[in-house]
Amino acid sequence: SIPTSAGSESDAEQLQEEQHARSVLRETFLRCLLSISNKKVQFRMHEKVKVDATFGASDIDVLNFQVSDLHTPIGVQKEALIRCQDVISFTFDV
Amino acid sequence: MQCGWPLLGPLQWIRYVNKLVKVKAGKDEEHRGWLLTVDPVSASLVLVNFGEGEGASVQVVMGHAVEEVEVLQEANEEITDRLQASFLPPRNRTRLDP
């Protein structure tokens, strides 16, 4: 595509550097996600709610997590999708 | 680092990689760990805490919930190697340049 403005060389250089950083960070994150599948995780949600589940997968834009055996206060949900917006953090062991 | 974490961008995030950080998230959560990576899509942080022996505990803090990130310590070579080896297949271990 044709750039909308004549970018200087240093802009192009910085863009390339940024893209490299982005790819390195993302690759490590994806490898980490891969290693979580089928592991027991504990989610910390708002209002100090903690729930345990077996991690399945995440969608590419990290909007939802698919989990199994979600231990909720009212029982165990065999399969579930968790909205990432509802999660503050989650923990697992490797 | 105050707020605005998801807006920093890859060149800023990568500076935190391989450092011991303290992350405040949500209303009352605080986590410490070695920063393995930041997902450039969701700005989520992956923190690793090494235990005794081989095992490690990993915390993923969602980018949208991050309130503050503070660097506590730089990693030495041993910790850097251990961090970078955590999830990589043995055949292509490459080091992140922070």
Side-chain angles (χ1 to χ4, degrees):
Chain A
S1 65
I2 303 159
T4 48
S5 63
S8 68
E9 236 171 76
S10 69
D11 280 351
E13 216 169 85
Q14 202 194 345
L15 186 69
Q16 201 175 2
E17 218 175 287
E18 187 178 311
Q19 287 293 59
H20 178 252
R22 194 188 302 276
S23 70
V24 168
L25 291 168
R26 181 68 169 171
E27 183 184 341
T28 315
F29 183 74
L30 291 179
R31 290 194 187 284
C32 173
L33 269 187
L34 265 182
S35 78
I36 316 176
S37 69
N38 290 320
K39 281 212 169 72
K40 294 234 181 301
V41 295
Q42 184 182 58
F43 292 96
R44 289 158 185 261
M45 333 264 289
H46 294 282
E47 305 300 329
K48 295 188 179 178
V49 174
K50 291 181 188 173
V51 288
D52 294 310
T54 303
F55 196 90
S58 161
D59 45 17
I60 50 167
D61 26 22
V62 201
L63 295 175
N64 299 282
F65 295 133
Q66 179 260 315
V67 300
S68 307
D69 293 323
L70 177 68
H71 288 67
T72 76
I74 53 164
V76 178
Q77 186 70 31
K78 199 87 194 108
E79 299 294 339
L81 281 180
I82 294 181
R83 288 189 309 187
C84 296
Q85 284 293 326
D86 297 338
V87 177
I88 294 174
S89 69
F90 62 94
T91 312
F92 63 98
D93 293 319
V94 286
Chain B
M1 217 290 306
Q2 303 290 322
C3 272
W5 173 259
L7 302 173
L8 285 185
L11 290 176
Q12 297 297 318
W13 290 325
I14 209 162
R15 294 179 176 196
Y16 290 83
V17 168
N18 293 336
K19 304 221 160 80
L20 183 67
V21 294
K22 184 168 85 176
V23 182
K24 283 189 184 157
K27 273 187 198 143
D28 40 25
E29 273 190 40
E30 192 176 294
H31 301 281
R32 277 161 198 257
W34 296 99
L35 186 75
L36 175 72
T37 189
V38 180
D39 174 34
V41 175
S42 65
S44 302
L45 300 93
V46 181
L47 305 178
V48 181
N49 283 287
F50 299 112
E52 307 274 313
E54 292 285 288
S57 152
V58 181
Q59 288 159 343
V60 181
V61 184
M62 306 308 293
H64 66 81
V66 172
E67 297 283 336
E68 196 181 330
V69 183
E70 189 186 326
V71 175
L72 302 174
Q73 197 185 323
E74 309 258 336
N76 57 28
E77 203 171 324
E78 187 200 336
I79 291 187
T80 306
D81 287 348
R82 221 173 143 185
L83 258 182
Q84 297 310 323
S86 311
F87 297 108
L88 284 187
R91 56 183 171 79
N92 60 351
R93 283 179 184 173
T94 47
R95 254 199 225 174
L96 298 177
D97 357 287

